[in-house]
Amino acid sequence: MQINVSVNPDSYILYRYRHGISFIILFFDIHNIGLNSGGYSFFITHSMGDGNADIDISRLSLWQAVSATLIDTIIIAILVYGFVQLRLLFLSYSKADYFSVKSANYCYAFGKDLVIWEVLQLLSEPLLSFILTLNNHFPDRYISISFESSDLILLFPSISIMIIGQILKKACQIAEENKQFI
């Protein structure tokens, strides 16, 4: 006896999709990233209180949601651009182009982008907290400002990378001048 079982491809895809979403929710604990926790974005959930009970996502107006999303997106884009500069630096190094102005510029740009990212992180928290609590009644509105040791830990190496990039650039320029004299 032979049994023919036909499987609808659409139902199989839906089945796999549901299991994939379940896996993501269980693995990443989706409630901790702000989607269902009363927070708004990936970053603001860690900085604005315990559980963000004072932020009601359903009461946010369109301009509040768009501006908070844009602020977070700009910060992420700056960090991504910095890592693109780091990638270009390593690609330059892979071509044995260690001491060139181009490589030094990539190094400087990576450090500069990290500094800009860190400064914007510090400035965006008060702005985001103000925007997201603007719909609350007057005593419940607040501006959250924080400065942690991790901010300094990232800021000093970033500035050091910028300085190293400038030193490499100056050394490359001096080496080019010395080549012209010989």
Side-chain angles (χ1 to χ4, degrees):
M1 177 163 92
Q2 184 177 13
I3 300 174
N4 289 333
V5 177
S6 64
V7 176
N8 184 353
D10 294 333
S11 65
Y12 179 73
I13 292 171
L14 186 61
Y15 169 79
R16 298 296 296 169
Y17 175 75
R18 285 183 187 153
H19 283 328
I21 294 297
S22 298
F23 172 76
I24 290 171
I25 289 171
L26 290 174
F27 184 76
F28 291 108
D29 192 15
I30 201 90
H31 298 288
N32 287 336
I33 63 171
L35 296 177
N36 281 332
S37 66
Y40 179 72
S41 69
F42 297 109
F43 301 111
I44 203 70
T45 58
H46 298 293
S47 61
M48 291 179 55
D50 296 329
N52 296 323
D54 52 352
I55 299 173
D56 185 12
I57 303 172
S58 62
R59 292 181 48 206
L60 290 179
S61 64
L62 180 64
W63 75 268
Q64 287 174 307
V66 168
S67 60
T69 303
L70 282 177
I71 291 169
D72 273 346
T73 304
I74 289 170
I75 291 171
I76 292 171
I78 289 171
L79 186 62
V80 167
Y81 182 74
F83 282 108
V84 167
Q85 296 300 311
L86 182 64
R87 180 181 177 275
L88 292 173
L89 174 66
F90 287 141
L91 285 175
S92 180
Y93 285 167
S94 71
K95 296 175 186 172
D97 193 15
Y98 304 110
F99 300 106
S100 69
V101 175
K102 184 172 68 170
S103 295
N105 285 336
Y106 291 145
C107 182
Y108 176 78
F110 174 63
K112 181 181 72 172
D113 291 336
L114 287 180
V115 168
I116 291 170
W117 175 73
E118 183 59 38
V119 169
L120 285 179
Q121 280 284 108
L122 292 172
L123 296 177
S124 70
E125 184 179 345
L127 183 61
L128 283 172
S129 64
F130 176 73
I131 289 172
L132 294 176
T133 60
L134 199 58
N135 288 342
N136 295 353
H137 297 293
F138 184 71
D140 294 332
R141 293 181 193 167
Y142 63 88
I143 296 176
S144 171
I145 300 172
S146 69
F147 188 77
E148 300 174 2
S149 62
S150 62
D151 297 328
L152 280 179
I153 289 172
L154 182 65
L155 204 55
F156 286 135
S158 303
I159 292 172
S160 299
I161 292 170
M162 285 176 59
I163 292 170
I164 290 169
Q166 287 296 90
I167 291 170
L168 283 173
K169 186 175 181 179
K170 188 67 173 172
C172 292
Q173 290 171 348
I174 290 172
E176 285 295 321
E177 290 175 5
N178 289 342
K179 284 181 184 177
Q180 292 176 356
F181 287 123
I182 297 176

